[in-house]
């Protein structure tokens, strides 16, 4: 099942550099692991912003929440979730 | 080059049914033709809304505008355009 | 799977009274049928507004969309969808 | 009498971990006690957010305020209150 | 129980003058009758606007809804409801 | 002359408890003194919020400003002022 | 007593030209008469908008409302009222 | 040339009292000097707010910016600028 | 003197096609004439929108208003005006 | 390819003066270097604000992001990006 998720990152200026680097490294590993599993299906950078637009393909609302709330950057992001489904005009097999 | 586009459809109640059906048929054909060309890369329905989220992969801003302003539903939609690019954590080849 | 849905009704003043009454009768029957099936789990009126807050329990995003877009009042409502899940502090068996 | 309440939690990053854990434990106990009394009738998690949607069934506005303002997380939440009532199409006995 | 209600009136320009006058006369009579019963406790005009701020003292959410939705101007107003209670610093007997 | 005033209180978490208690005690005394003089005519608590709705009856804009800007909580409140007047449908003598 | 008032004019496209011209002529005469009386103390056009910013000097909220609600353009304007007073740094005699 | 400027002052609670007093004294002297030159033509206090509405009469956009960005309170204010001109209905000589 | 102006065009669906074509032809001629005079210095289309961003270089606020309010599309546009000036980091001679 | 970018600068009050001066000097050099390359085509100051409006002419979304995210002030700015293209009424050669 598909969800459209936007994530805006706001890391406080006073977060120590080492802690910041650690969080970002864990975030990247976490994201790439989920991408490999096929659960984080797409991720794009928004031009000019420290933000991304992502598409998740998970079992249900609970699994989506479990994944998002475990993001290392979760305490530093504004997240917006939109449930989606196959569009009747879609022709691409994997857009559902 | 990638663009994230949301389209909210607001067709007036008093549009004659035949005209409405004609516009929708042309919209579908137009969208599917662009999907086949690879320019309208993804399209999803937003749950509970007469709306879609789409990803376009076009040459530049001008081609995006040419495509969107020629949509049969263009006069009846609120459109929001967000320029995007490959995310540094993306692993999928075709997310750029 | 649970969804929180708000529906604000805006019926145009110039809708003929008979058509209006017909839509409202079909809306009520449709809602009560889904309530009996357990898919439209709760519905409450918002005090002072022609609006409701509802909880749906359906299979997935696609079924939610199918149900909402078939509402007789769908063309006359502003709808807001929020995906939900069991709260870790909930004690009531059927809040999930 | 029914009220729809949304609670968005924003705990400051610099709250000491022990104090945070203590507040959360007291919040959970407080919520579950009120759920057992039937006053906090429903509680759901909002997917992707540190937030909940709740339904309260209390005597009046004053009791609702007394309950909400005594929440251990009250100083760290944005709260929105909407008074509700039985919907004329509701069939479930306990939706009022 | 007290509720703070704001009502913004937007009567369409094309409503026939006689119909408009009839609605306004019934609105006034309805309001004054409820004021005499003590249920519509206060009403003030907002300077520069076709709008009022009112305080209702009714049994519960359901009675408030019944009163508001029966207003002759109900289809032409934007209404906002805020539940209220006695303030701990209030000294006036009838502010609760 | 009547003014509708809403006050939302946002006291910073790091204000020392003694200073906070002192401000609140002075706020209450100040408010009750003005209520006794008839200048702060009504005050109600908003359910679920650290906020109030008040009605002031003062000589002019300048006196209203003098009163509000001298509130002990003034630096910690968002204030909204709406000038009001007698409503043509009002029957209560003291609603003007 | 001073009030800051902004007026945004939205005349419907389908208002007959003669009616429009008549309203505008009456609006101008009405405004200039109040300017001569000293009650409509200032009026400026907002660059690029069919709108004005005005300063009124009237007895009280009720007189302000009486003047604004009698504007020939009143049904076609969005009005915003802000009560004002002499600024402690003002040196000009007539800014109060 | 005329500009309508609103200034909302937000001085942080932790600014030392002496620094605060110094800034305010310099702000007042700066404002009154510009008022005497006829460049800061009007200034009014907004009732209930630490804010003002001002009218500037300066040579051009650049001079306006030079004046505003040199305000001692500039780092602590939200400023909104609206370019204005003589209204066709104005009768007062100096409203342009 | 420079102004940044955004124009969003909303032509009603029911405007007769001939009238629409005539307005658009006059709008284009009017714009190009002002561009040739150097007063309408830049104009760009916003991708995906029937809108433009323009830079005007005119004598003062009054000339800007005279130009904008005479646009054939003026009754059908939402316009936003921002006064601008040379940026201290600009190196291009004609950006002022 | 053209992009319209607005940048609002919010430097925290507690940034040490030397660090602030260093960032601003690097920002200016960085901007002027890009202006000389023709990539940062225009930059204007917004009157009364610590903000600019800029026009970028770059290869694609990715290059725009690379430039913006490397701005020394990037962590202290709110940025808004709008993709643009040649307007059909433009006559100036370099507005595309």
């Amino acid at each position: 099942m598909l969800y459209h998720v936007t994530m805006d990152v706001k890391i406080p200026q006073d977060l120590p550099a080492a802690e910041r680097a650690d969080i970002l490294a864990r975030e990247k590993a976490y994201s790439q692991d989920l991408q490999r599993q096929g659960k984080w299906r797409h991720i794009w950078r928004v031009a000019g912003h420290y933000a991304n637009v992502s598409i998740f393909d998970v079992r249900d609302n609970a699994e989506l929440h479990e994944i998002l709330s475990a993001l290392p950057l979760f305490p530093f992001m504004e997240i917006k979730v939109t449930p989606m489904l196959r569009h009747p005009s879609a022709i691409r097999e994997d857009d559902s």
Side-chain angles (χ1 to χ4, degrees), chain A residues 14-26:
Chain A
D14 58 0
L15 194 75
E19 189 177 341
R20 178 189 172 108
D22 174 60
I23 290 171
L24 294 182
R26 286 189 290 119

Side-chain angles (χ1 to χ4, degrees), chain A residues 34-54:
Chain A
L34 286 161
Q35 288 181 66
R36 276 185 219 102
Q37 295 178 44
K39 295 190 172 185
W40 194 324
R41 203 190 283 186
H42 299 283
I43 179 169
W44 299 281
R45 173 67 81 214
V46 180
H49 294 268
Y50 193 175
N52 72 68
V53 170
S54 293

Side-chain angles (χ1 to χ4, degrees), chain A residues 2 14 17 24-25 29 31 36 42-43 45 49 62-63 66 72 74 76 82 84 88-89 92 96:
Chain A
L2 299 176
D14 58 0
L24 294 182
S31 167
R36 276 185 219 102
H42 299 283
I43 179 169
R45 173 67 81 214
H49 294 268
E63 188 181 18
E66 190 185 352
F74 184 74
F76 307 113
T82 308
M84 299 204 303
S89 298
R92 186 167 164 157
S96 57

